[in-house]
Amino acid sequence: MAEFRAAPTAKRYKAANDFVALKRKVWEIEHDAPFEMDDDGEDSDIAVVDEHESFNCPITTAPMTDPYTSKLCKHSYSSAVVELLRRDRDGRIECPVAGCNKYVRMSDLFKNKALAKKIERHNRKREIREAEEDDGGAVGI
């Protein structure tokens, strides 16, 4: 116990999933770069990672709207999952993400407002980028 208390705070809590998840959420709200912790459990000032985050629903394959996230497997879906669960007589569906063996029930889902904001920011950035590309190709007279 004394060894645990003597360790730096970041190292003590690196393995605590809830702590890391909270730090990730705060980081993503304030920064455009992906969150990463180094081997010492400290936030990396510069993180070079090849990370691609898809905002497409694994059920509809369309961009997610009004996202729900499973408490069990942490996968997210559009609100289409609610309709699927209503139609299923058992009230559960197998998670559609490849390799996931969990079942999704309405009681296991929560509306993911943080993800909705992240998708909204992503869409705004994409629109700005597309507008800049369109303007960049225009020739002024």
Side-chain angles (χ1 to χ4, degrees):
M1 187 64 153
E3 183 180 325
F4 175 80
R5 288 187 176 142
T9 303
K11 189 172 184 179
R12 282 186 282 178
Y13 295 106
K14 181 180 181 188
N17 292 336
D18 290 341
F19 175 76
V20 174
L22 175 63
K23 285 191 78 146
R24 180 180 304 276
K25 285 179 183 179
V26 170
W27 177 270
E28 289 173 349
I29 289 168
E30 297 178 353
H31 300 85
D32 289 333
F35 173 82
E36 186 176 285
M37 291 179 80
D38 61 22
D39 292 335
D40 295 332
E42 299 295 328
D43 297 350
S44 296
D45 290 335
I46 299 174
V48 179
V49 290
D50 182 19
E51 180 179 61
H52 174 74
E53 186 170 14
S54 175
F55 295 118
N56 289 344
C57 174
I59 296 169
T60 65
T61 67
M64 271 191 263
T65 56
D66 194 23
Y68 284 81
T69 299
S70 169
K71 295 174 194 170
L72 299 176
C73 64
K74 310 298 187 230
H75 293 127
S76 297
Y77 323 93
S78 280
S79 55
V81 71
V82 174
E83 184 58 33
L84 281 176
L85 288 168
R86 282 188 189 137
R87 285 191 278 170
D88 190 86
R89 68 183 178 122
D90 294 330
R92 70 179 192 159
I93 59 169
E94 192 172 341
C95 178
V97 175
C100 185
N101 61 356
K102 303 286 185 195
Y103 281 86
V104 179
R105 292 179 181 83
M106 200 60 212
S107 61
D108 298 325
L109 296 174
F110 65 94
K111 276 193 168 199
N112 194 332
K113 294 177 184 178
L115 179 58
K117 287 180 182 179
K118 194 173 185 180
I119 292 169
E120 188 177 306
R121 279 194 314 271
H122 171 77
N123 290 339
R124 275 197 310 264
K125 286 179 186 178
R126 188 188 71 236
E127 289 169 3
I128 290 169
R129 227 180 11 257
E130 289 172 357
E132 287 174 350
E133 288 173 4
D134 289 345
D135 291 344
V139 177
I141 298 178

